[in-house]
């Protein structure tokens, strides 16, 4: 059965002895988009991903991956999904090319098909020049990219990645973003977990918040960003006319030791309207930008609301 989404999960529960890791989690991962699963350490992200990857059985819940019910058609689901765990397996004796060839064999590709697919994937993840190097010489970012290539060997329609961006340097993170965006553009349903929201701002289209094993919210990133109320750091050639203009409008602000004022909290729209007014009032503004990641402030605001 072809599903409307790459992953459809409802009411997923799982306990480890006395620990209730998942307590009725709902999740939809559409094709052609990158969905982020965001939650603190221990929220249940890895448990859910292992269940979706058919590596761990849920206690209850209805789950379809690429349209296949995990209870009745786990093999079909496994063929349709690619899985990248948060830790890299030990295949250190193999070269980079041998490593991918090994998984191509495991997925039933013929040796020529496997060789072609290996070359194609190494090109895609920018590791072609490392093909003959042993896996253990790779940097962390390179290992992540090899792990991604491995997850893609059999052209999965659903891609599951557990904390792939954690510990990556900025350049590797940009490369990861570009790779995931291009896969989504090809129609793959991508699910990526993280406990650091700001890692995902530019990678994901949607964010699903997980708290203590349950879905705490499901949002479009673009909508979140537009609705988010955050602080905006403003710098002007002279601070006093700026501060006066803010006082007149009763906009809260705080002076920063490093120069500039943090104003708000304001939405993007409110910030844009205010900027026009401030400039109109004679403030000579040369910098006006959200403080920190916009997503980070949304997340903090949401978790504050509940306590
Ligand atoms: N194999 C396991 N045995 C016992 N408890 C586990 C096991 N795996 C996960 N847990 C517990 O389940 C909860 C969720 O863990 P996990 O899914 O790893 O969270 P996350 O990936 O969001 O950090 C935690 O309380 C964790 O300690
Ligand atoms: Mg985890």
């Amino acid at each position: 059965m072809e599903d409307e989404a790459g992953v459809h999960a409802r009411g997923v529960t799982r306990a480890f002895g006395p620990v209730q890791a998942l307590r009725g989690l709902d999740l939809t991962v559409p094709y052609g988009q990158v969905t982020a699963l965001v939650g603190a350490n221990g929220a249940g992200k890895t448990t859910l991903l292992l269940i979706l990857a058919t590596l761990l059985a849920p206690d209850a819940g209805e789950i379809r991956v690429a349209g296949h019910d995990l209870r009745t058609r786990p093999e079909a689901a496994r063929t349709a999904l690619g899985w990248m765990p948060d830790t890299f397996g030990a295949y250190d004796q193999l070269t980079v090319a041998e490593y991918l060839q090994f998984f191509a064999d495991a997925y039933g590709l013929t040796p020529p098909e496997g060789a072609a697919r290996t070359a194609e994937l190494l090109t895609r993840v920018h590791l072609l020049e490392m093909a003959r190097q042993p896996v253990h010489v790779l940097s962390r970012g390179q290992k992540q990219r090899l792990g991604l290539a491995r997850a893609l060997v059999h052209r999965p329609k659903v891609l599951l990645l557990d904390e792939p961006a954690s510990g990556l340097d900025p350049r590797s993170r940009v490369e990861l973003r570009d790779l995931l965006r291009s896969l989504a553009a090809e129609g793959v349903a991508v699910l990526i977990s993280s406990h650091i929201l700001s890692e995902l701002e530019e990678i994901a289209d949607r964010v699903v918040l997980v708290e203590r094993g349950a879905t705490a919210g499901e949002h479009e990133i673009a909508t979140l960003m537009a609705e988010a109320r955050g602080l905006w750091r403003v710098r002007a050639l002279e601070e006093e006319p700026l501060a006066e203009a803010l006082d007149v409008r009763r906009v809260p602000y705080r002076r920063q030791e490093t120069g500039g004022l943090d104003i708000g909290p304001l939405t993007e729209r409110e910030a844009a309207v205010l900027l026009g007014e401030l400039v109109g009032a004679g403030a000579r503004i040369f910098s006006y930008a959200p403080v920190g990641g916009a997503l980070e402030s949304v997340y903090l605001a949401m978790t504050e609301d509940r306590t």
Side-chain angles (χ1 to χ4, degrees):
M1 189 193 88
E2 195 62 28
D3 226 21
E4 73 285 359
V7 174
H8 172 94
R10 292 293 174 273
V12 182
T13 66
R14 168 75 204 213
F16 296 102
V19 179
Q20 193 67 45
L22 297 178
R23 20 183 125 229
L25 196 138
D26 299 332
L27 176 71
T28 303
V29 184
Y31 288 114
Q33 294 190 18
V34 178
T35 299
L37 191 65
V38 175
N41 285 323
K45 304 179 296 294
T46 298
T47 303
L48 177 71
L49 287 166
L50 287 171
I51 289 172
L52 296 179
T54 74
L55 299 170
L56 181 73
D59 294 334
E62 179 201 317
I63 307 170
R64 291 195 298 278
V65 174
H68 307 293
D69 191 320
L70 291 196
R71 278 170 303 201
T72 53
R73 297 176 50 78
E75 299 83 10
R78 215 168 291 143
T79 307
L81 69 86
W83 160 243
M84 184 170 141
D86 57 353
T87 50
F88 198 80
Y91 296 89
D92 280 1
Q93 303 309 315
L94 300 180
T95 67
V96 167
E98 286 166 348
Y99 179 84
L100 285 184
Q101 184 74 51
F102 172 84
F103 285 97
D105 291 346
Y107 279 110
L109 276 70
T110 64
E113 283 169 351
R117 186 74 180 136
T118 294
E120 180 193 333
L121 284 169
L122 288 179
T123 305
R124 180 151 201 184
V125 302
H126 314 297
L127 284 176
L128 199 53
E129 73 280 13
M130 303 300 285
R132 291 170 198 282
Q133 300 295 321
V135 169
H136 68 81
V137 307
L138 299 183
S139 70
R140 182 171 166 82
Q142 288 171 330
K143 277 187 182 167
Q144 289 278 24
R145 299 210 297 278
L146 181 58
L148 183 57
R150 167 195 154 175
L152 294 174
V153 161
H154 56 303
R155 302 182 193 278
K157 295 199 285 185
V158 176
L159 184 61
L160 310 169
L161 309 104
D162 197 8
E163 307 246 3
S166 84
L168 288 190
D169 57 82
R171 183 186 170 78
S172 303
R173 198 179 305 162
V174 168
E175 286 173 355
L176 175 70
R177 177 196 68 194
D178 293 348
L179 274 163
L180 296 184
R181 300 265 20 129
S182 70
L183 287 163
E186 290 163 22
V188 176
V190 181
L191 179 64
I192 165 178
S193 78
S194 177
H195 65 286
I196 304 170
L197 200 55
S198 55
E199 281 181 350
L200 304 175
E201 215 158 315
E202 293 187 329
I203 297 182
D205 302 293
R206 302 167 59 251
V207 56
V208 174
L209 298 172
V210 185
E211 267 188 19
R212 281 173 258 107
T215 312
E218 196 163 338
H219 309 272
E220 303 288 323
I221 296 248
T223 316
L224 269 188
M225 303 276 273
E227 291 171 359
R229 273 207 163 68
L231 294 179
W232 298 72
R233 184 152 305 166
V234 188
R235 294 173 197 273
L237 292 182
E238 304 86 17
E239 216 158 78
E240 280 328 301
L242 173 61
E244 276 170 34
L246 290 169
D247 285 334
V248 169
R249 287 166 182 78
R250 298 180 192 284
V251 177
Y253 63 87
R254 239 188 337 197
R255 287 177 204 270
Q256 294 305 302
E257 281 173 19
T258 50
L261 307 179
D262 279 1
I263 66 174
L266 302 171
T267 63
E268 284 181 350
R269 175 166 293 275
E270 290 165 348
V273 171
L274 179 65
L275 176 59
E277 291 180 12
L278 294 174
V279 171
R284 297 200 288 172
I285 292 168
F286 62 85
S287 169
Y288 194 95
V291 178
L295 270 184
E296 209 88 66
S297 31
V298 182
Y299 186 56
L300 291 174
M302 286 196 217
T303 40
E304 260 168 32
D305 281 353
R306 269 193 298 275
T307 49

